[in-house]
Amino acid sequence: SYSNCRIEGVYGDFDQGSQNIGGLVGKNRSRITYSYAMGEIHGDSFLGGLVGLNYAGGTVSKSYATSDVYGLYCVGGFVGLNYEVIDNSYARGIVSGKSEVGGFIGVNSCISEDSDYIEKSYSTGKVTGINVEKVGGFVGEYVGCPAFYNCLWDSVSSELGYSVEGTGRNTQQMKSVLPGFDFNTIWSIDPNINDGYPYLQIKTVSVRENPETEKTGISLYPNPANEFVKITIKDQSAIILNVRIVDLFGRLIKEGEVGGVSREIIIPVSEITSGYYLVRIQTNREYLSLALIVE
């Protein structure tokens, strides 16, 4: 199974006729939870922002993709070709192909009529294709089995008002508490996060006042922080090369100024919105991320 995984970058090669390409996994037969991918996917067929082919046993839950996906056939913002269960997930990237193109799933099929379903998921990206009969805001083509429950797509941002499955809603409706979605324990909504669309409550790492990794001797203090955070390295042979604070979606919030040979850096955080962040630290010996709470 895969959990708490993150991938950023550009994947696939359109010129090579490549298939089964996903931002996180090409072919999935396991369980994926609390994971995401961002970047660009280029290929031929069975392309997805998170998973290319989601096959027998390959369930996906509480995950998302912001990848832009470009291909020919079976192209989806989240999964290219799906046979299994997907729940509480979303896709935000552009999706473009010739046929079987969908904002969330390119082609949806099944293995078991009794257990396969798609629920509480949405897509928002622009969707384009040539064979308009097999292009949809949420699903490009539906060839059987899984039931769809509370599946939505933004009919304005996708520039598509139709899909073989799912319900189209305008942008204002999408940026609200969505029907059937659990906004107590799974989803949250904030006009300043995820462009105002609902986002997943990411599992967070508990933090002590002065957490320090035993392996690296790097400390982050204070934590939680409201005015500044100080990063210190005890190892005399290590120096800080780069420090970035990013949000849980990987977006750069603030970059620390590192001058000369330094084993300590102070970063002001008073102007950063309260919430959970990751501090990405690069030294001359390693690269790591530490959890940070800004109050």
Side-chain angles (χ1 to χ4, degrees), residues 29-76:
R29 290 176 179 254
S30 185
R31 178 169 176 78
I32 298 174
T33 58
Y34 292 104
S35 299
Y36 73 89
M38 59 179 64
E40 289 187 8
I41 312 289
H42 294 263
D44 189 318
S45 55
F46 310 118
L47 314 175
L50 193 80
V51 178
L53 169 60
N54 194 45
Y55 202 54
T59 61
V60 186
S61 179
K62 303 178 186 69
S63 299
Y64 68 92
T66 61
S67 313
D68 295 333
V69 189
Y70 304 93
L72 299 176
Y73 306 99
C74 293
V75 184

Side-chain angles (χ1 to χ4, degrees), residues 235-252:
D235 188 340
Q236 297 298 307
S237 65
I239 59 173
I240 299 173
L241 300 178
N242 182 270
V243 176
R244 294 184 177 186
I245 298 177
V246 301
D247 63 16
L248 297 181
F249 299 95
R251 296 175 296 199
L252 178 64

Side-chain angles (χ1 to χ4, degrees), residues 2-295:
Y2 304 84
S3 185
N4 294 290
C5 297
R6 170 182 59 83
I7 298 291
E8 302 176 22
V10 181
Y11 316 93
D13 185 348
F14 184 84
D15 296 327
Q16 297 299 318
S18 44
Q19 299 181 341
N20 301 317
I21 300 173
L24 182 70
V25 179
K27 292 182 180 180
N28 180 49
R29 290 176 179 254
S30 185
R31 178 169 176 78
I32 298 174
T33 58
Y34 292 104
S35 299
Y36 73 89
M38 59 179 64
E40 289 187 8
I41 312 289
H42 294 263
D44 189 318
S45 55
F46 310 118
L47 314 175
L50 193 80
V51 178
L53 169 60
N54 194 45
Y55 202 54
T59 61
V60 186
S61 179
K62 303 178 186 69
S63 299
Y64 68 92
T66 61
S67 313
D68 295 333
V69 189
Y70 304 93
L72 299 176
Y73 306 99
C74 293
V75 184
F78 195 70
V79 175
L81 174 58
N82 178 62
Y83 286 91
E84 274 286 1
V85 174
I86 300 175
D87 69 77
N88 291 293
S89 298
Y90 66 88
R92 296 285 321 276
I94 296 170
V95 189
S96 180
K98 285 189 175 182
S99 186
E100 297 99 35
V101 184
F104 193 76
I105 298 172
V107 175
N108 199 77
S109 187
C110 73
I111 292 177
S112 170
E113 295 186 10
D114 298 326
S115 61
D116 298 347
Y117 59 88
I118 315 295
E119 69 171 355
K120 301 170 186 174
S121 298
Y122 74 84
S123 62
T124 66
K126 181 180 178 180
V127 182
T128 59
I130 296 175
N131 184 358
V132 294
E133 294 182 355
K134 295 184 178 181
V135 177
F138 191 78
V139 182
E141 184 176 16
Y142 171 54
V143 292
C145 297
F148 289 76
Y149 306 104
N150 301 308
C151 293
L152 311 168
W153 86 90
D154 190 324
S155 58
V156 177
S157 60
S158 67
E159 300 184 12
L160 275 181
Y162 54 87
S163 178
V164 291
E165 289 290 347
T167 302
R169 294 163 65 96
N170 63 41
T171 302
Q172 183 178 358
Q173 292 172 325
M174 291 293 296
K175 295 182 178 182
S176 65
V177 175
L178 302 178
F181 285 52
D182 180 355
F183 279 84
N184 292 317
T185 61
I186 298 177
W187 295 89
S188 291
I189 191 165
D190 185 315
N192 299 311
I193 298 176
N194 200 28
D195 297 325
Y197 289 100
Y199 63 95
L200 293 164
Q201 297 179 22
I202 305 295
K203 285 184 175 179
T204 56
V205 180
S206 61
V207 291
R208 296 174 282 127
E209 184 171 344
N210 183 16
E212 180 178 304
T213 64
E214 296 180 359
K215 178 181 177 182
T216 62
I218 295 180
S219 64
L220 199 66
Y221 180 85
N223 194 6
N226 51 37
E227 295 184 1
F228 68 91
V229 63
K230 181 168 70 173
I231 300 160
T232 305
I233 301 180
K234 287 187 175 181
D235 188 340
Q236 297 298 307
S237 65
I239 59 173
I240 299 173
L241 300 178
N242 182 270
V243 176
R244 294 184 177 186
I245 298 177
V246 301
D247 63 16
L248 297 181
F249 299 95
R251 296 175 296 199
L252 178 64
I253 302 301
K254 194 175 187 67
E255 187 164 9
E257 296 182 4
V258 181
V261 178
S262 176
R263 286 188 293 275
E264 181 177 286
I265 181 173
I266 296 176
I267 303 178
V269 297
S270 58
E271 296 181 357
I272 298 179
T273 303
S274 300
Y276 290 91
Y277 297 89
L278 292 176
V279 181
R280 295 178 176 173
I281 305 167
Q282 181 183 2
T283 74
N284 60 325
R285 300 182 61 184
E286 61 188 329
Y287 178 91
L288 74 159
S289 296
L290 297 179
L292 170 68
I293 297 177
V294 176
E295 295 184 332

